[in-house]
Short mmCIF file of all heavy atoms in Angstrom, two decimals:
data_model
loop_
_atom_site.label_atom_id
_atom_site.label_comp_id
_atom_site.label_asym_id
_atom_site.label_seq_id
_atom_site.Cartn_x
_atom_site.Cartn_y
_atom_site.Cartn_z
N LEU H 125 76.03 107.68 113.55
CA LEU H 125 77.34 108.47 113.61
C LEU H 125 78.38 107.79 112.78
O LEU H 125 78.59 106.58 112.77
CB LEU H 125 77.77 108.48 115.15
CG LEU H 125 78.92 109.49 115.56
CD1 LEU H 125 78.26 110.91 115.45
CD2 LEU H 125 79.45 109.12 116.89
N SER H 126 79.19 108.65 112.07
CA SER H 126 80.30 108.13 111.34
C SER H 126 81.57 108.19 112.19
O SER H 126 81.60 108.65 113.28
CB SER H 126 80.46 109.11 109.96
OG SER H 126 80.90 110.35 110.49
N GLN H 127 82.66 107.61 111.67
CA GLN H 127 83.97 107.65 112.34
C GLN H 127 84.38 109.12 112.59
O GLN H 127 84.94 109.45 113.69
CB GLN H 127 85.11 106.93 111.42
CG GLN H 127 86.37 106.92 112.07
CD GLN H 127 86.40 106.31 113.47
OE1 GLN H 127 85.67 105.26 113.64
NE2 GLN H 127 87.43 106.68 114.25
N LEU H 128 84.15 109.93 111.56
CA LEU H 128 84.49 111.37 111.68
C LEU H 128 83.73 111.96 112.93
O LEU H 128 84.18 112.83 113.77
CB LEU H 128 84.29 112.13 110.52
CG LEU H 128 84.51 113.68 110.49
CD1 LEU H 128 85.93 113.93 110.78
CD2 LEU H 128 84.04 114.40 109.15
N GLY H 129 82.38 111.55 113.04
CA GLY H 129 81.69 112.18 114.16
C GLY H 129 82.18 111.73 115.52
O GLY H 129 82.24 112.60 116.49
N TRP H 130 82.64 110.56 115.62
CA TRP H 130 83.24 110.11 116.89
C TRP H 130 84.51 110.88 117.14
O TRP H 130 84.74 111.36 118.30
CB TRP H 130 83.58 108.59 116.73
CG TRP H 130 84.33 108.10 118.02
CD1 TRP H 130 85.62 107.98 118.18
CD2 TRP H 130 83.66 107.33 119.01
NE1 TRP H 130 85.98 107.36 119.40
CE2 TRP H 130 84.72 107.00 119.97
CE3 TRP H 130 82.43 107.02 119.40
CZ2 TRP H 130 84.53 106.26 121.06
CZ3 TRP H 130 82.17 106.34 120.50
CH2 TRP H 130 83.21 105.91 121.39
N GLU H 131 85.44 111.08 116.18
CA GLU H 131 86.60 111.79 116.35
C GLU H 131 86.39 113.34 116.57
O GLU H 131 87.21 113.89 117.32
CB GLU H 131 87.50 111.64 115.09
CG GLU H 131 87.94 110.23 114.82
CD GLU H 131 88.58 110.02 113.45
OE1 GLU H 131 88.61 110.98 112.62
OE2 GLU H 131 89.04 108.85 113.18
N GLN H 132 85.36 113.91 116.15
CA GLN H 132 85.12 115.26 116.51
C GLN H 132 84.83 115.39 117.84
O GLN H 132 85.43 116.44 118.48
CB GLN H 132 83.82 115.82 115.62
CG GLN H 132 84.10 115.92 114.15
CD GLN H 132 82.83 115.91 113.28
OE1 GLN H 132 81.73 115.61 113.84
NE2 GLN H 132 82.85 116.46 112.14
N HIS H 133 83.99 114.52 118.60
CA HIS H 133 83.72 114.74 119.90
C HIS H 133 84.92 114.47 120.77
O HIS H 133 85.12 115.02 121.83
CB HIS H 133 82.57 114.01 120.31
CG HIS H 133 81.23 114.65 119.90
ND1 HIS H 133 80.84 115.70 120.68
CD2 HIS H 133 80.41 114.51 118.93
CE1 HIS H 133 79.68 116.12 120.16
NE2 HIS H 133 79.46 115.51 119.01
N GLN H 134 85.75 113.55 120.31
CA GLN H 134 86.97 113.31 121.03
C GLN H 134 87.88 114.55 121.04
O GLN H 134 88.44 114.95 122.08
CB GLN H 134 87.77 112.20 120.32
CG GLN H 134 87.29 110.73 120.57
CD GLN H 134 88.15 109.76 119.89
OE1 GLN H 134 88.57 109.87 118.72
NE2 GLN H 134 88.57 108.76 120.71
N GLY H 135 88.01 115.15 119.84
CA GLY H 135 88.78 116.44 119.80
C GLY H 135 88.23 117.52 120.59
O GLY H 135 89.03 118.33 121.23
N ILE H 136 86.93 117.64 120.54
CA ILE H 136 86.29 118.84 121.22
C ILE H 136 86.54 118.62 122.83
O ILE H 136 86.79 119.58 123.53
CB ILE H 136 84.76 118.85 121.00
CG1 ILE H 136 84.65 119.34 119.58
CG2 ILE H 136 84.11 119.88 121.85
CD1 ILE H 136 83.18 119.18 119.01
N ALA H 137 86.40 117.31 123.27
CA ALA H 137 86.62 117.02 124.69
C ALA H 137 88.06 117.38 125.12
O ALA H 137 88.34 117.99 126.18
CB ALA H 137 86.33 115.74 125.07
N ARG H 138 89.00 116.96 124.33
CA ARG H 138 90.41 117.17 124.63
C ARG H 138 90.77 118.72 124.59
O ARG H 138 91.57 119.18 125.44
CB ARG H 138 91.36 116.39 123.69
CG ARG H 138 92.83 116.57 124.16
CD ARG H 138 93.59 115.39 123.43
NE ARG H 138 93.34 114.09 123.92
CZ ARG H 138 93.93 113.55 124.96
NH1 ARG H 138 94.95 114.28 125.64
NH2 ARG H 138 93.67 112.24 125.32
N THR H 139 90.14 119.40 123.67
CA THR H 139 90.42 120.86 123.56
C THR H 139 89.81 121.52 124.82
O THR H 139 90.53 122.47 125.38
CB THR H 139 89.80 121.40 122.33
OG1 THR H 139 90.35 120.83 121.19
CG2 THR H 139 89.93 122.88 122.27
N MET H 140 88.68 121.06 125.25
CA MET H 140 88.09 121.67 126.57
C MET H 140 88.95 121.50 127.66
O MET H 140 89.27 122.31 128.44
CB MET H 140 86.71 121.04 126.72
CG MET H 140 85.98 121.58 127.98
SD MET H 140 84.50 120.53 128.41
CE MET H 140 83.38 121.30 127.26
#
Side-chain angles (χ1 to χ4, degrees):
L125 193 74
S126 66
Q127 178 64 28
L128 177 60
W130 178 273
E131 293 169 357
Q132 287 163 342
H133 280 281
Q134 285 182 311
I136 294 167
R138 186 165 289 274
T139 299
M140 176 190 284

